Amino acid sequence: MKTLDLIRLKKTYQVYDEPRMFFLHPLHHKDTAWIALLGAFITIAFTNPHDVQDALRNHVEWDTLLFFAGLFVLVEVCAAMGLLTAIGGALAYVIKSQPEENQMAIAITLILWVSAITSAFLDNIPYTATMIPIITILADE
């Protein structure tokens, strides 16, 4: 495996205009989600309450937010039950049972066909959310 030249990467892909609170994590040791929530509460505190109510009622797509919340809960439940580990283990077993020189081609073909067949029944976003942990399991093995 190639080693990364971090100095060259930092020079090539510089980050500009970074939000300071998010990158001060070594000082305050707070998760970035808490900082974002703090910013949201400060914004709401200094805004007209009627504007906030109007925005929450009419401009927030609650159906979409609840769909994604349910989706991520479902994926975590599947992971906690061991379903994703079982699927990843089964795919890894099929790939490992092939000769060494064919394993990469078999893995790519298997993932491609599983994706094609599954996406016929599932939408692409739930499928992607489910396959990310499975691909991570395959990469570790």
Side-chain angles (χ1 to χ4, degrees):
M1 178 175 262
K2 295 171 88 174
T3 59
L4 294 175
D5 185 7
L6 292 179
I7 296 171
R8 184 176 61 88
L9 284 174
K10 286 180 181 179
K11 286 181 183 177
T12 305
Y13 303 105
Q14 293 181 3
V15 176
Y16 299 102
D17 297 329
E18 62 212 25
R20 299 287 180 218
M21 284 298 291
F22 291 119
F23 290 99
L24 290 176
H25 178 74
L27 297 176
H28 55 69
H29 302 291
K30 301 291 183 224
D31 192 18
T32 55
W34 289 112
I35 296 170
L37 283 174
L38 177 67
F41 285 128
I42 289 172
T43 303
I44 289 174
F46 292 110
T47 306
N48 185 354
H50 297 292
D51 293 338
V52 174
Q53 290 174 359
D54 177 57
L56 290 177
R57 286 186 190 140
N58 302 323
H59 301 292
V60 174
E61 294 187 31
W62 290 107
D63 295 342
T64 305
L65 290 174
L66 291 174
F67 166 75
F68 281 114
L71 170 68
F72 292 127
V73 167
L74 181 66
V75 170
E76 284 301 313
V77 166
C78 289
M81 288 176 30
L83 180 64
L84 301 181
T85 306
I87 293 171
L91 291 175
Y93 175 76
V94 170
I95 293 167
K96 285 181 181 179
S97 65
Q98 304 301 318
E100 181 85 24
E101 63 272 359
N102 295 339
Q103 285 184 355
M104 183 62 77
I106 296 293
I108 291 171
T109 306
L110 187 61
I111 291 171
L112 177 74
W113 278 101
V114 167
S115 299
I117 293 169
T118 306
S119 67
F121 303 104
L122 286 178
D123 193 29
N124 58 354
I125 295 173
Y127 175 72
T128 303
T130 307
M131 281 302 286
I132 288 172
I134 293 172
I135 298 296
T136 304
I137 292 168
L138 287 175
D140 290 341
E141 292 187 18

